[in-house]
Amino acid sequence: MANDEVILLDFWASMFGMRLRIALAEKEIKYEYKEEEGLITNKSSLLLEMNPIHKKVPVLIHNGKPICESIIGVEYIEEVWKDKAPLLPSDPYERAQARFWADYIDKKLYVSSRKIWGTKGEEQEAGKKDFIEVLKVLEGELGEKPYFGGDNFGFVDIALIGFYSWFYAYETYGNFSTEAECPKFVAWAKRCMQRDSVAKSLPDQHKVFEFIQMLRQKFGIE
Amino acid sequence: MAENDVKLLGSWPSTFVMRPRIALNVKSVCYDFLEEQLSSKSDLLLKSNPVYKKIPVLIHDGKSICESLNIVQYIDEKWTNSGPSILPLDPYDRAIARFWACYIDDKWFPIFRCLAVAQGEDAIKAALEPVFNGLVLLEDAFKNCSKGKKFFGGDKIGYVDIALGCFLGWMRVTEKMNNVTLLDEAKTPGLYKWAEDFCADSSVKDVMPETNKLAEAAKDLIPKIRANASS
């Protein structure tokens, strides 16, 4: 693996990009981080070349070959660098469970979270209600375990934790307290934040809030 | 060996249910097919898929696995030594296969569903273009994945074949009912031939519903899909 060239094309606030940053850090893989600075207004030619179908970050580029979609990227990292820090369990049923919950997070959490900061009035209220419901379902799945995978930090934790960096923004715009609604979720998130791989991959919550403020102004929501 | 401790909850017209059925056939796994009535969900379905309450659900040794592509990956990993591999072996090829399956479910299927339930010439025409553009992309994907062979998976059907092929029955019904052409021999020659080969495959033949039977069922199902979409 000494001659591997790994590039991560990403955007600092992307909770999807954070998944790959964490997975790469867990496996201690050296990589070049490339910030897609013009993500909102002016996508780079590299991004358009590497992800022509969706034109989105993150894109993992391994020896010149692009892997798009963050969950697919995490599975790829797991399969290529399989001798280090396993992120998925080895049992097929446990793996199916992990994939199910990562997919659930993608289907349900992002959509509702977007409504909290991206809309107003009734639509925002509905988004907030759905969001809290989704967190409660996830809390139920977590149960008394330290991590979603059990004793070990893994796939579902990686799929979810990046959203935590957006929580100050969600709570401010949605006017709710996650600690009050979902204390187990907050405990889990703080546990994850103690890991180096996570702490180094997530941006400061206030910085994210400022970014969303800017987006809301840009999209005429403020 | 395989006693019927494998059960699949599903319904014969469902595209997503077809995916695990094909995968189980590829691995020569015997299973009980439990037909769900769409008008009222069984207690078993509600208990084994409490999150989405949807088919398909695979129940193996009393444990349930949900979401069709997830089930296909489970089947591939559980019965790894029985029959050919459904996902490719190389990690990069696997990532590409997963990418296209994701594209089919997240982008192509919703626009196809719009076309399948579209009413009136204008609505059908408007719905057709993005579906067809998607198929042109998939034609390119087919060229890259198949590398000159019969299927996306190469010599044998694989993950992307199953992900896309399950829609062929409904594509034929849509072509008939809306008087459109989806797989055009001239415009998407690769997919056109692939569709024939896929439907003729031994793992697919018995689970692909016959077009006329599906068209009959569509008469009842399409109004229900329209009603769900607008609610």
Side-chain angles (χ1 to χ4, degrees):
Chain A
M1 297 291 165
N3 297 323
D4 268 333
E5 185 203 51
V6 181
I7 297 171
L8 177 63
L9 193 56
D10 195 357
F11 182 71
W12 67 272
S14 165
M15 60 280 267
F16 304 107
M18 289 170 217
R19 293 168 170 176
L20 293 173
R21 289 173 228 167
I22 296 169
L24 290 163
E26 288 282 322
K27 303 258 187 192
E28 294 178 358
I29 299 162
K30 286 195 169 60
Y31 68 98
E32 184 190 344
Y33 179 90
K34 279 198 173 155
E35 185 73 40
E36 185 62 25
E37 285 179 22
L39 183 69
I40 315 293
T41 47
N42 188 23
K43 297 184 181 189
S44 72
S45 53
L46 179 63
L47 176 59
L48 298 175
E49 186 199 329
M50 292 287 136
N51 192 356
I53 310 266
H54 302 302
K55 305 176 175 58
K56 282 181 175 175
V57 293
V59 183
L60 182 72
I61 310 171
H62 185 204
N63 295 330
K65 297 200 282 191
I67 298 103
C68 306
E69 300 295 293
S70 56
I71 292 292
I72 295 175
V74 174
E75 291 235 43
Y76 177 81
I77 290 166
E78 171 74 348
E79 290 173 6
V80 172
W81 288 276
K82 55 181 180 285
D83 297 328
K84 196 108 195 230
L87 306 174
L88 272 165
S90 53
D91 173 70
Y93 175 72
E94 300 299 330
R95 291 162 76 86
Q97 290 299 96
R99 287 178 180 133
F100 174 86
W101 288 107
D103 178 65
Y104 175 81
I105 290 159
D106 273 356
K107 278 184 166 78
K108 299 283 190 180
L109 195 65
Y110 181 69
V111 171
S112 55
S113 73
R114 187 118 181 21
K115 287 192 183 157
I116 298 176
W117 65 264
T119 67
K120 286 202 302 213
E122 262 179 52
E123 208 184 340
Q124 187 191 44
E125 268 309 298
K128 171 178 140 188
K129 191 164 160 274
D130 288 342
F131 182 77
I132 292 170
E133 221 171 275
V134 168
L135 286 188
K136 292 195 159 134
V137 170
L138 288 167
E139 265 194 330
E141 173 54 25
L142 179 65
E144 300 305 315
K145 307 194 295 283
Y147 300 108
F148 281 89
D151 289 328
N152 299 315
F153 178 79
F155 197 70
V156 181
D157 307 285
I158 292 174
L160 185 55
I161 191 61
F163 285 87
Y164 189 60
S165 65
W166 287 57
F167 266 62
Y168 179 70
Y170 298 150
E171 288 176 334
T172 307
Y173 289 119
N175 193 28
F176 68 94
S177 154
T178 321
E179 180 79 58
E181 301 276 357
C182 305
K184 274 193 179 149
F185 174 86
V186 175
W188 163 82
K190 288 182 173 163
R191 191 176 300 125
C192 291
M193 291 299 292
Q194 286 175 359
R195 292 182 82 80
D196 230 21
S197 65
V198 176
K200 292 194 170 138
S201 301
L202 264 58
D204 174 70
Q205 292 203 22
H206 287 85
K207 202 173 164 209
V208 173
F209 175 71
E210 278 164 25
F211 168 68
I212 296 174
Q213 256 183 329
M214 183 272 292
L215 278 185
R216 280 170 61 100
Q217 276 159 16
K218 200 179 178 68
F219 295 143
I221 305 164
E222 294 261 301
Chain B
M1 280 300 157
E3 299 164 323
N4 291 358
D5 57 358
V6 183
K7 299 182 196 320
L8 184 70
L9 297 183
S11 114
W12 70 265
S14 162
T15 54
F16 297 109
V17 169
M18 215 180 302
R19 290 168 169 178
R21 297 186 81 178
I22 296 170
L24 290 163
N25 286 349
V26 167
K27 301 288 187 177
S28 307
V29 173
C30 293
Y31 64 99
D32 289 335
F33 186 63
L34 304 176
E35 185 86 37
E36 273 289 312
Q37 295 310 313
L38 296 178
S39 48
S40 73
K41 298 183 183 198
S42 72
D43 286 341
L44 182 59
L45 175 61
L46 298 175
K47 189 176 132 210
S48 40
N49 191 356
V51 175
Y52 297 117
K53 305 176 178 55
K54 281 183 174 173
I55 49 172
V57 182
L58 186 77
I59 306 176
H60 184 206
D61 284 338
K63 297 194 276 201
S64 52
I65 301 101
C66 308
E67 296 297 285
S68 61
L69 290 178
N70 198 23
I71 299 171
V72 171
Q73 289 198 74
Y74 172 80
I75 291 167
D76 200 27
E77 291 180 355
K78 189 74 187 175
W79 287 279
T80 190
N81 294 322
S82 167
S85 190
I86 294 174
L87 269 155
L89 297 173
D90 172 74
Y92 189 73
D93 292 339
R94 290 163 75 87
I96 296 297
R98 286 178 173 133
F99 175 87
W100 286 112
C102 242
Y103 170 82
I104 288 160
D105 273 4
D106 296 345
K107 304 283 179 202
W108 188 80
F109 169 66
I111 55 181
F112 172 65
R113 184 175 47 198
C114 275
L115 174 64
V117 305
Q119 282 175 293
E121 215 181 294
D122 289 338
I124 291 170
K125 196 165 172 218
L128 178 62
E129 198 186 326
V131 174
F132 186 73
N133 290 340
L135 289 171
V136 168
L137 267 180
L138 288 165
E139 169 81 7
D140 211 44
F142 176 73
K143 278 199 192 82
N144 292 330
C145 295
S146 66
K147 303 184 188 32
K149 302 212 166 144
K150 268 162 70 167
F151 301 111
F152 284 88
D155 288 318
K156 296 209 183 304
I157 63 169
Y159 194 63
V160 184
D161 300 283
I162 294 174
L164 183 60
C166 66
F167 294 105
L168 286 168
W170 277 92
M171 282 167 72
R172 287 173 177 159
V173 167
T174 302
E175 284 179 325
K176 243 173 118 157
M177 282 174 49
N178 293 348
N179 198 26
V180 294
T181 304
L182 289 173
L183 290 183
D184 187 306
E185 197 174 359
K187 294 180 185 160
T188 52
L191 287 182
Y192 186 85
K193 177 83 181 47
W194 163 82
E196 280 174 10
D197 290 334
F198 181 82
C199 292
D201 189 88
S202 57
S203 298
V204 175
K205 269 200 325 257
D206 298 334
V207 299
M208 177 68 70
E210 204 241 335
T211 310
N212 289 330
K213 193 179 174 202
L214 193 58
E216 263 312 301
K219 289 184 188 152
D220 282 332
L221 289 170
I222 287 180
K224 290 196 177 117
I225 299 169
R226 270 192 208 123
N228 275 339
S230 56
S231 64

